[in-house]
Amino acid sequence: MSRRNILLSAAALASALASPLSHAQEGPIRLIVPYAPGGPLDATSRALAERVRDTLGTVVIDNKAGAGGNIGADAVAKAAPDGLTIGLAATATHAVNPWLYSRMPYDAAKDFAGITQMVSVPNVLVINAAKAAELKINTVADLIAYAKANPAKLNYGSGGNGSAGHLAGEMFKQRAGIFALHIPYRGASPAQLALLAGEVDFNIDNLAAAAPNIRSGKLKALAVTSPQASAALPGVPPLSNTFKGFSIETWWGLVAPAGTPKPIIANLNKAFVAALNAPETKTRFAALMAEPVATTPEQFDAFMASERAKYQQVVKASGAKVD
């Protein structure tokens, strides 16, 4: 064999044996966020994109909002499994929507490969501060006692039928044995404005969104829905103190299309986990009341499966459905 042929054969062999990780870095990575710009999911995604620039190269955020997150999630599911398109998986898109929507464009259990969880944010039971003072409601026990003594006088708002706030509210009502009229709004922000305006009495909102109004004194926090108390809200007990096992948290993480080679997944996981564990990330996330949660791909897949199983029962009990 000539020297030239030997060199060509060696080059071909090297190319064939090259790690698929190199292919994943041939261009910028597109990170699809299935929600509009500006919220905590978008902000944390942009923060991580900056942190992995040195290891993964440019990560471009692509906001594809609509249909409760289904449009963006579907774009991830149908992307080429080459590591160049990844996306955000959230409580709604990968745990609630499969049971809430009559027709889903993707299969949350089969169309994705977990990379890592990113964030866990407690939800918080908040009441309009003026209403709390008027009704002398300072604790969860006070709220329950008032509801039982005044049937059908309380209402609560949420970002819409089947939203995390709606499902948490129905779980709370069921466990407490009370009635409160659910008033759905077209998104979490309008629901929060309605609470601030006194149109509704209480909400269960994510802590990242509710924190500024809790700090300002406009809202009174009665409890968090995480299993343990949150360091971000000292002195505010978890609902699990009142109702054993009560737990509804807002979470999100990173996924790739199913079929993405495991070496590519491993490379993405390594880069994003390092970014999540960086002190700068923890500081930035803390400002959003969000706790970084770094996992293995297998742990995140298992976690999403357990959340789907939990919300199957919660959605069924709530009666919520989107056709």
Side-chain angles (χ1 to χ4, degrees), residues 155-160 165-166 181-185 191 194 200-204:
N155 57 31
Y156 78 98
S158 81
H166 175 208
L181 180 66
H182 171 232
I183 301 179
Y185 290 85
V200 294
D201 300 313
F202 69 90
N203 286 0
I204 297 182

Side-chain angles (χ1 to χ4, degrees), residues 106-215:
Y106 58 88
D107 186 327
K110 297 178 180 179
D111 291 346
F112 304 89
I115 297 171
T116 179
Q117 187 175 341
M118 278 173 56
V119 167
S120 179
V121 181
N123 294 322
V124 58
L125 171 60
V126 283
I127 185 169
N128 180 290
K131 176 71 73 172
E134 176 191 340
L135 302 180
K136 297 180 173 58
I137 294 175
N138 294 302
T139 66
V140 172
D142 292 340
L143 179 63
I144 294 171
Y146 179 86
K148 289 183 174 180
N150 299 273
K153 284 194 175 181
L154 287 178
N155 57 31
Y156 78 98
S158 81
N161 286 319
S163 66
H166 175 208
L167 299 177
E170 292 303 303
M171 278 184 66
F172 171 64
K173 286 164 51 178
Q174 184 182 36
R175 298 291 294 272
I178 63 171
F179 176 80
L181 180 66
H182 171 232
I183 301 179
Y185 290 85
R186 298 178 69 88
S189 293
Q192 186 180 84
L193 291 174
L195 180 62
L196 292 169
E199 295 175 13
V200 294
D201 300 313
F202 69 90
N203 286 0
I204 297 182
D205 202 353
N206 77 73
L207 181 54
N213 289 309
I214 294 172
R215 291 196 195 102

